[in-house]
Amino acid sequence: MDRQELFARIQYPLPQHAISRLIGQLADCRIAWVKDLFIRRFIETYGVDMSQARQPDPGAYPCFNDFFTRELKLDARPIGEGLVSPADGVLSRYGRIEHGTLIQAKGQTYSLSALLGGDVSRAAPFRQGSFATVYLAPKDYHRVHMPMTGTLREMTYVPGRLFSVNSATANYVPGLFARNERLVCIFDTERGPLAMVLVGAMIVAGIETTWAGQVTPLSGRVQTTRFDEPIVIEKGQEMGRFKLGSTVVMCLGRETAFGDFDPEGNPISMGQRLGELPGTV
């Protein structure tokens, strides 16, 4: 058994939610010396580039969570043409959704229907479409933006585990992204349906959206909210954020011509062009 497999296996018996709640309380601590210590150590450990932050002074943030979800300077992430990345991180997998399954890692696939909360009718429009998975590392900018303009149709909270979502765990935990707690946001766009799936992970204290505030953690059942009043979010605008790192899985209802990226993983920035908008080729 190698180190990656061992790391994945030891997560199974851990009290994942209790650990995450405890870390969340610490991350929201507003005692100056405590939060300053955490922030400084974090910057040193992960090499965070504060020159891109709208507030570059680490001591100015009221708590670690505010630092972690820091806003960037207006010109830090130009928005490219076509379909763009919703977040900073690593483009870990992308391509076609085939027979209702997505690629998680080499030799690992998982169910589209399970990812979207187990509703077959919700998954149906995406079965012949495409997907892209972006893993956000600790040093990355942790706000999630729209890859194209969309009108929010519904939001579904799906309870689950809180495994780490790094490459080691993705290689050894079957159906990882469809097992973890997640928030599924379905948008209507001029190019067909778009699903933005914000996946929780170990020590992620919560997921927020721009229209509902913090959404997770909630109860132990699937909860769906439908929106009669249109909520339109333009391409490049923020739609949510993670309090500590995780993953975004983007599903599109039509086949997409992606650019030439390494299928094993590519560093990518929010707003960077991923390829043509679906339906234009």
Side-chain angles (χ1 to χ4, degrees), residues 5 18 21 53 55 65 84 96 103 111 114 118 126 130 156 186 188 206 208 222 225 239 250 254 259 265:
E5 185 175 1
R21 285 194 295 270
Q55 173 50 269
N65 272 334
V84 301
R96 294 186 61 185
I103 299 172
S111 162
F126 301 97
S130 51
T156 299
I186 307 292
D188 293 318
E208 292 186 1
V222 176
T225 303
M239 57 82 61
M250 176 175 66
R254 302 174 73 173

Side-chain angles (χ1 to χ4, degrees), residues 77-81 83-88 269-274:
R77 294 292 184 274
I79 306 301
E81 298 293 326
L83 181 71
V84 301
S85 174
D88 282 10
S269 298
M270 191 284 289
Q272 183 176 334
R273 178 182 170 88
L274 295 180

